[in-house]
Amino acid sequence: MKLRLILGDQLSLSTSSLSDLSQDDLILMCEVRQEATYVKHHKKKIAFVFSAMRHFAEDLRRRGFNLRYVVYDDPENSGSLLGEVRAALDLHPCEEVVVTNPGEHRLLAEMQSWADELPVPVVLRDDDRFLCSTEDFAQWADGRKQLRMEYFYREMRRKYSVLMDAGGPIGGQWNYDAENRKPPAGGLDVPETYKSDPDAITQEVLALVEAHFPDHFGDLLPFHFAVTRDQALAALDEFIARRLRLFGDYQDAMIQGEPWMYHSHIALYMNCGLLHPLECIERAEAAYHRGDAPLNAVEGFIRQILGWREYVRGIYWLKMPDYKGANALNAERALPEFYWSGDTQMNCMRQCITETKQNAYAHHIQRLMVLGNFALLAGLHPDEVNEWYLLVYADAYEWVELPNVSGMILFADGGLLASKPYAASGSYINKMSDYCGSCRYKHTVKNGPTACPFNYLYWDFVARNDGKLRGNPRMGFMYKSLDRMSGEKRQAIRADSQRFFKAMQANEKV
Ligand code: FAD
Ligand code: DLZ
Ligand code: SF4
């Protein structure tokens, strides 16, 4: 008899820890303070994970398996995973504990020491729900000077034979981004996101979250995430039928009052195990072959999953634990209070933070071009930015959050993931959104009290990091422009930035 521990992001029947499951084994699932509070997750994220765990447990019970499920408010709940494994072993003597490797390094390190704490061996198995194993990624990375996603992605396309035709990419190109990324258009009729009806299990979880996590960030209601595999599949199908067609065109567009745009909203389901990445890819590819969605949209969507998602996970396991402490640009500023309250005059930031608070979701370009770009330009400390991203989004686990934050937005890894910092001024945000029209700042004004802060902070960032970034070939153009600026102009940029930072740190409304 084996004890098989299933974590809140391992809700797949195909999880490796269940692969040789027999009827007399015991499956353990537990809602524990340790996991719910190691960062103060968004209320909706906790409700989602607990409800999905409880529904998965129901499914296992219906299939006739022995299950021990410890609810959060059980008076006997020890609050930790190890405590619950110990309690289960006390009640049900098992010859070993089997777990699929967790998705976060802190927990893997902890589990690796469990063998010393427990009377039986602990077997950790690979998480094979990903499309590239950590070993295969390490092999791909070995000896390469640069780890560019695009090349990794091409190999994954070949390996899984996705959108391939006679050994080459369908349509002759690997990447159709040149056709994507249109600015937002007026009069778009963006379809609603998938909405489930909370059942009795979810209602009970919602009451529990309200009672036990009142001081956590975010709005608990309305709650409409899928919490079962069938619902997650319905959400995926709805995306393919209604939004995939325009996914590429509006991938980088932001519209006020449209938090969901043409994105899929399935990362949270893939990341907790309700959907398998390959089935998402296959359904999108089938839509292309049926003629229901164009190649630029389908290729763009598939690249995010087969390329980016696998690539960032590979980077995480390749570079942890050192990756977490990386701070190549020596960014030291504290995260401003408005990242929690949304109380800022920068309309783009206010919109993206408010939507994050309401939905435990923001789409990629909001996370990157607005929230992330500001964190980069303002020199916010990577630890604080990482903690924020890890707790506010329902799809956030460190394996995917950390490389996106430290690598993609903050350049804290010194350029391992991105070839140059993703820094953008107000005019780019204006091009890709309709936020600037109702902002108290003017994206066309470069200096002074009415200027868009992204404008002067952009140049202050470039000037501040001269010693570290001037040598970057992709930054040459920026430094040429900086060198051409008059001393007066540079002085104005510095003064505006100092004034802004001073007010921000004093918690004035900036
Ligand atoms: P879509 O836009 O519909 O994309 C389809 C799928 O592609 C996503 O579901 C996701 O699985 C995958 N994907 C897309 N971009 C990435 C990427 N850069 N890295 C990994 N997978 C990607 N994604 C997370 O799953 N968890 C996170 O904690 C997370 N943190 C992020 C932090 C920052 C600063 C940035 C810039 C990106 C982050 N992402 C994260 C990536 C991406 O923003 C989200 O996956 C996406 O917004 C989720 O919404 P969606 O399912 O509608 O995605
Ligand atoms: C995210 C999360 C939360 C909020 N709660 C639990 C929990 O109570 N029990 C559990 O097993 N898992 C939970 N999780 C998911 C874990 O945090 C996740 O498995 C690790 O971060 C590793 O990826
Ligand atoms: Fe954001 Fe600047 Fe536009 Fe205001 S003007 S919405 S601060 S980019």
Side-chain angles (χ1 to χ4, degrees), residues 5-11 28-39 41-42 45-50 53 69-70 72 77 79 81 101-108 111 129 213 271-272 317 390 394 396-399:
L5 172 65
I6 297 287
L7 301 173
D9 55 353
Q10 298 179 343
L11 310 180
L28 171 65
M29 296 178 69
C30 37
E31 299 167 3
V32 285
R33 199 177 55 250
Q34 169 191 357
E35 291 309 302
T37 61
Y38 73 95
V39 291
H41 302 287
H42 195 299
K45 178 180 183 184
I46 301 180
F48 166 65
V49 174
F50 284 7
M53 284 174 72
Y69 191 99
V70 184
Y72 194 81
N77 190 327
L81 293 170
N101 277 333
E104 301 196 347
H105 188 272
R106 69 176 170 91
L107 203 49
L108 178 65
M111 285 180 178
R129 296 169 303 159
F213 306 96
N271 295 354
C272 81
W317 288 110
L390 186 56
Y397 299 90
E398 198 180 76
W399 65 265

Side-chain angles (χ1 to χ4, degrees), residues 33 53 64 142 158 171 184 199 224 267 436 438:
R33 199 177 55 250
M53 284 174 72
D142 191 34
R158 285 196 193 93
D199 64 3
H224 46 65
C436 300
S438 32

Side-chain angles (χ1 to χ4, degrees), residues 470-509:
R470 187 178 281 272
N472 181 319
R474 296 197 58 205
M475 295 290 286
F477 180 73
M478 307 302 161
Y479 282 98
K480 270 202 190 111
S481 304
L482 184 72
D483 292 344
R484 276 199 300 270
M485 277 180 195
S486 66
E488 225 171 41
K489 172 80 181 162
R490 290 178 69 146
Q491 183 50 37
I493 288 166
R494 188 86 202 114
D496 282 335
S497 303
Q498 291 299 336
R499 172 185 47 76
F500 180 88
F501 287 139
K502 199 163 159 226
M504 182 176 96
Q505 268 149 341
N507 220 358
E508 289 166 23
K509 188 161 175 170

